[in-house]
């Protein structure tokens, strides 16, 4: 399945608002945070319509401030449901 990925990031608070839209028929919302001065971040998301939950691990990439994009992996689970994959996004 494919879907949309958006992570509206605030570099001041080192946090982001995650929206994964239309992935396997569901839309997920959640948040991500960055710990310390790393390029990596982690997050959690859920879909109230399906009861599914998930987690993501990502990194910023590219030269410049802010970085050119994000990429990483995710998993999602629910009753009789498992999914996993990768994401990539550019500003």
């Amino acid at each position: 399945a494919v879907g949309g990925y958006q992570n509206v990031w605030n570099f001041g608070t080192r946090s982001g608002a995650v929206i994964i839209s239309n992935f396997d028929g569901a839309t997920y919302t959640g948040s991500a945070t960055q710990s310390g001065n790393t390029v990596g971040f982690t997050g959690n998301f859920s879909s109230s319509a399906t009861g599914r939950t998930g987690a993501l691990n990502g990194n910023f990439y590219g030269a410049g401030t802010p970085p050119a994009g994000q990429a990483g992996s995710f998993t999602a689970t629910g009753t009789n449901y498992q999914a996993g994959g990768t994401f990539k996004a550019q500003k």
Side-chain angles (χ1 to χ4, degrees):
V2 296
Y5 170 80
Q6 182 179 30
N7 188 348
V8 180
W9 197 261
N10 181 324
F11 285 95
T13 62
R14 297 183 182 274
S15 63
V18 175
I19 301 170
I20 300 170
S21 57
N22 199 28
F23 176 73
D24 205 11
T27 295
Y28 300 85
T29 58
S31 61
T33 58
Q34 186 181 30
S35 180
N37 290 326
T38 66
V39 296
F41 57 88
T42 59
N44 295 294
F45 54 85
S46 63
S47 168
S48 59
T50 64
R52 298 174 192 160
T53 60
L56 60 88
N57 292 295
N59 287 296
F60 294 102
Y61 68 88
T65 304
Q70 306 174 5
S73 62
F74 70 93
T75 59
T77 59
T79 303
N80 299 318
Y81 183 86
Q82 290 185 346
T86 60
F87 64 89
K88 181 180 176 187
Q90 291 181 281
K91 64 177 180 174

